[in-house]
Amino acid sequence: AQRVTQPEKLLSVFKGAPVELKCNYSYSGSPELFWYVQYSRQRLQLLLRHISRESIKGFTADLNKGETSFHLKKPFAQEEDSAMYYCALRGRQGAQKLVFGQGTRLTINP
Amino acid sequence: DTGVSQDPRHKITKRGQNVTFRCDPISEHNRLYWYRQTLGQGPEFLTYFQNEAQLEKSRLLSDRFSAERPKGSFSTLEIQRTEQGDSAMYLCASSSQGTAYEQYFGPGTRLTVT
């Protein structure tokens, strides 16, 4: 079974503080992992994926197969980072569907 | 706006009625997806089309639900004999063959069944 768990529904940090949004997954094969973000009154959009190994808007995420985790990190939070963040998994090769976690609402306090 | 569009944006219906939603994907995208999102949850996959072929359906898609993409462009999702448990946000997404990993989402249709 494919499952994505985001243990924190709400996360609040101060501007300039480090941020870590946790994501754990359950999948027997080699998954593709993604982070999607939804800003207020905007659509759900892709933030980053593990294969690209790039930093987007200062965020990075490393796939840890041993711990089956894909945590999203940013060293210095900005107010514009406030949003809903969803971790997602795409499983078996050729599968197209995304399996999403419950989401974490991140609030950056000034 | 060249993004994914959905119509209507909101729908209120009485239990037992049928409803139909429409999704227009980004024009060059051949893949189209439907998801359902209930309050406090992430989107849940319902079904996937490649061109006009429906290639994958979730167990969530009961026999009251049907989706079509007749010409490989827009898609419709119909719910027959709606139930209160069908109340949710219905999201449509599309992607191109070359960058199938990135799904572009529409604004969603919020269904309320009274």
Side-chain angles (χ1 to χ4, degrees):
Chain A
Q2 301 172 29
R3 186 186 297 272
V4 176
T5 303
Q6 293 179 249
E8 303 140 328
K9 283 204 159 184
L10 302 170
L11 184 62
S12 181
V13 302
F14 286 103
K15 177 182 172 182
V19 173
E20 182 178 46
L21 289 84
K22 292 184 166 47
C23 172
N24 289 91
Y25 67 90
S26 173
Y27 181 66
S28 55
S30 293
E32 289 183 76
L33 273 296
F34 307 86
W35 278 97
Y36 274 76
V37 61
Q38 188 167 25
Y39 300 103
S40 179
R41 299 188 191 87
Q42 293 188 28
R43 304 169 184 206
L44 195 58
Q45 59 185 286
L46 178 66
L47 179 63
L48 55 79
R49 58 181 188 138
H50 87 271
I51 288 177
S52 62
R53 301 184 67 82
E54 56 190 345
S55 173
I56 304 292
K57 299 184 179 183
F59 284 98
T60 58
D62 290 320
L63 178 61
N64 185 323
K65 291 187 178 181
E67 295 183 358
T68 59
S69 68
F70 187 56
H71 303 328
L72 183 68
K73 299 177 184 179
K74 184 168 183 176
F76 307 104
Q78 298 172 296
E79 288 186 64
E80 53 265 34
D81 296 329
S82 294
M84 196 74 188
Y85 290 81
Y86 294 96
C87 183
L89 173 154
R90 191 166 78 172
R92 58 182 171 83
Q93 190 173 9
Q96 299 301 320
K97 71 177 185 183
L98 292 173
V99 176
F100 286 88
Q102 290 184 307
T104 297
R105 181 170 297 283
L106 176 64
T107 301
I108 308 301
N109 299 306
Chain B
D1 186 359
T2 56
V4 177
S5 61
Q6 293 186 244
D7 183 70
R9 296 290 304 276
H10 304 272
K11 178 71 176 179
I12 300 174
T13 191
K14 293 185 177 180
R15 189 176 55 186
Q17 297 294 305
N18 300 344
V19 294
T20 300
F21 310 141
R22 176 179 170 125
C23 171
D24 286 89
I26 294 172
S27 58
E28 61 267 27
H29 286 181
N30 67 335
R31 298 178 178 193
L32 187 146
Y33 316 80
W34 284 100
Y35 292 85
R36 181 173 69 184
Q37 185 173 23
T38 53
L39 200 61
Q41 302 296 318
E44 292 177 291
F45 172 78
L46 291 178
T47 190
Y48 153 67
F49 290 85
Q50 182 166 311
N51 300 312
E52 65 276 9
Q54 188 174 22
L55 297 184
E56 191 172 354
K57 290 197 298 186
S58 164
R59 289 178 289 111
L60 292 174
L61 214 65
S62 76
D63 55 4
R64 296 186 298 106
F65 288 70
S66 62
E68 293 183 342
R69 195 182 183 199
K71 297 182 180 179
S73 56
F74 73 91
S75 175
T76 57
L77 177 68
E78 181 183 16
I79 309 174
Q80 296 183 327
R81 304 181 302 281
T82 53
E83 301 172 357
Q84 287 190 315
D86 297 331
S87 295
M89 178 74 86
Y90 289 84
L91 295 168
C92 177
S94 69
S95 69
S96 66
Q97 186 126 0
T99 54
Y101 60 83
E102 181 165 8
Q103 297 183 14
Y104 291 80
F105 282 81
T109 295
R110 181 169 295 283
L111 173 66
T112 302
V113 181
T114 62

